[in-house]
Amino acid sequence: MLEITGLTWALTIGLVVALLALDLVLAAMRPHRVGFREATAWSLFYIGVAIAFGVWFAMAYGSAAGTQYFAGYVVEKSLSVDNLFVFVIIMTTFAVPEEHQHKVLTYGIVLALILRAIFIALGATLLSLFSFMFLLFGLLLIYTAVQLFRHRNEDPDVEDNAVVRTARRVLPITPEYVGGRIVTRVDGRLMATPLLIVLLAIGSIDLLFALDSIPAVFGVTQEAYVVFAANAFALLGLRALFFLVKGLLDRLVYLSTGLSIILAFIGVKLILHWAHEDLNASIPEISTPVSLGVIVVVLVVVIVASLIKTRGDPAAKAHAGSLRARKAAAEQERDGA
């Protein structure tokens, strides 16, 4: 186990909070449509910060620790691209004005970081107390991979969301967006704006992604600090990446398939680790460098194959994938039967 001092934790969290604060201040002070050049600059900035952190971490704690961080970062970055699909769907479904998308994404990232911090603390505690949690996490990832592969050509139904449905039923909501406000007063009555519904939708989706991404990164490293850093730096660049690649997401037609392969692979890695520790030391484990290599190869193949597919078939469109069938699709299937 790495010996991470309280000061190192505090400085890392402080850096993440400072970068988040910068995003929030920019979003509040200057609501605007984020262009390609601005999105590119911010994306390169956040990737640079993540790489610089990884280089420092490897120099301070050794190459093995650095490899774990970069492997975790690549895993979380690849899963965050699927997050972007869902963000695009939410923005489209609720017709969020472009000048407010920056703010919505930043709040969404804050919610994601809070939820992941909670799950990281819980996951690290469970893994340290109960070794069979590696088996349970592995089975969870394999189940998720199977479901994602089965519904790889579908999108999650944002409207069919318990949190969104409940909010629509119990809250008075204005018909239009009121600037960048979450709540407002209309004729003296306090009302929510559609922006609150959007944030609730993103928050509930973030919860589902945390349930999958945290076991996935624990499959690469059991160090809570590395898990937190990989998640934080992958998510910090998500807002800029959204504006940079949202026009290209439709072309990544095999992304869900690739992510299902990665999740299944990490699930098998966790199960082998549990078997090696609890059943028989002769059972082989998958090393972190091998994991990193497999993940990178899968992502490269997915991107290249997707671009070839869409070039030959311009009508092909990518989907975020779903862990369950859309209600409409399921009903059509039953009617057809």
Side-chain angles (χ1 to χ4, degrees):
M1 297 290 290
L2 296 176
E3 301 226 358
I4 308 295
T5 65
L7 178 61
T8 301
W9 269 103
L11 290 174
T12 305
I13 294 172
L15 175 61
V16 172
V17 170
L19 291 170
L20 276 174
L22 176 64
D23 247 3
L24 283 169
V25 169
L26 290 175
M29 289 180 59
R30 197 167 63 94
H32 66 289
R33 180 183 181 279
V34 178
F36 180 80
R37 180 178 296 180
E38 181 182 349
T40 301
W42 278 108
S43 294
L44 292 175
F45 169 75
Y46 281 117
I47 291 172
V49 170
I51 292 174
F53 175 86
V55 171
W56 165 81
F57 188 65
M59 292 174 63
Y61 294 95
S63 58
T67 302
Q68 290 180 10
Y69 163 76
F70 280 112
Y73 177 76
V74 172
V75 168
E76 291 304 318
K77 203 68 175 176
S78 60
L79 290 172
S80 71
V81 175
D82 206 38
N83 236 19
L84 291 181
F85 266 113
V86 181
F87 283 174
V88 170
I89 293 167
I90 291 173
M91 299 290 190
T92 304
T93 301
F94 295 104
V96 179
E98 287 193 343
E99 63 268 24
H100 301 314
Q101 291 181 6
H102 184 296
K103 177 184 289 187
V104 169
L105 285 167
T106 304
Y107 280 128
I109 292 168
V110 172
L111 287 171
L113 277 171
I114 293 172
L115 290 170
R116 278 160 172 73
I118 294 170
F119 278 92
I120 288 167
L122 180 60
T125 301
L126 290 174
L127 289 174
S128 65
L129 294 176
F130 310 106
S131 59
F132 68 85
M133 291 303 300
F134 288 104
L135 173 62
L136 295 183
F137 278 4
L139 293 174
L140 172 64
L141 288 179
I142 291 174
Y143 170 78
T144 301
V146 171
Q147 289 295 98
L148 184 60
F149 183 78
R150 286 180 60 199
H151 306 299
R152 62 190 180 280
N153 293 322
E154 299 175 27
D155 292 315
D157 191 347
V158 177
E159 292 283 6
D160 184 27
N161 178 303
V163 175
V164 172
R165 290 200 313 269
T166 302
R168 286 191 184 281
R169 189 168 61 249
V170 302
L171 295 175
I173 301 170
T174 61
E176 303 291 338
Y177 287 91
V178 183
R181 297 179 185 176
I182 297 174
V183 294
T184 188
R185 285 195 177 276
V186 178
D187 297 329
R189 183 188 183 196
L190 188 64
M191 298 184 71
T193 74
L195 199 59
L196 177 62
I197 304 299
V198 172
L199 293 175
L200 289 174
I202 286 180
S204 57
I205 293 295
D206 279 340
L207 177 61
L208 294 177
F209 274 104
L211 287 171
D212 296 329
S213 66
I214 297 305
V217 75
F218 269 118
V220 175
T221 176
Q222 283 81 60
E223 297 286 348
Y225 177 80
V226 179
V227 174
F228 172 79
N231 267 274
F233 288 111
L235 286 172
L236 280 174
L238 196 60
R239 189 267 309 167
L241 192 63
F242 171 86
F243 294 106
L244 181 64
V245 305
K246 67 177 181 178
L248 302 176
L249 287 175
D250 282 348
R251 299 185 65 186
L252 298 178
V253 293
Y254 296 124
L255 178 63
S256 292
T257 300
L259 291 179
S260 67
I261 293 171
I262 290 172
L263 291 175
F265 170 76
I266 297 175
V268 170
K269 182 180 186 297
L270 281 169
I271 292 173
L272 287 175
H273 176 75
W274 166 78
H276 177 84
E277 294 291 330
D278 283 17
L279 298 184
N280 194 321
S282 65
I283 296 175
E285 291 191 87
I286 301 172
S287 67
T288 301
V290 170
S291 299
L292 180 58
V294 169
I295 292 164
V296 170
V297 168
V298 170
L299 290 175
V300 170
V301 170
V302 162
I303 293 171
V304 173
S306 295
L307 295 178
I308 292 173
K309 171 68 175 177
T310 52
R311 178 176 294 180
D313 181 12
K317 183 182 177 182
H319 296 276
S322 177
L323 297 184
R324 62 190 180 97
R326 289 179 66 109
K327 184 181 291 186
E331 289 173 352
Q332 288 175 5
E333 203 173 295
R334 284 198 304 270
D335 293 341

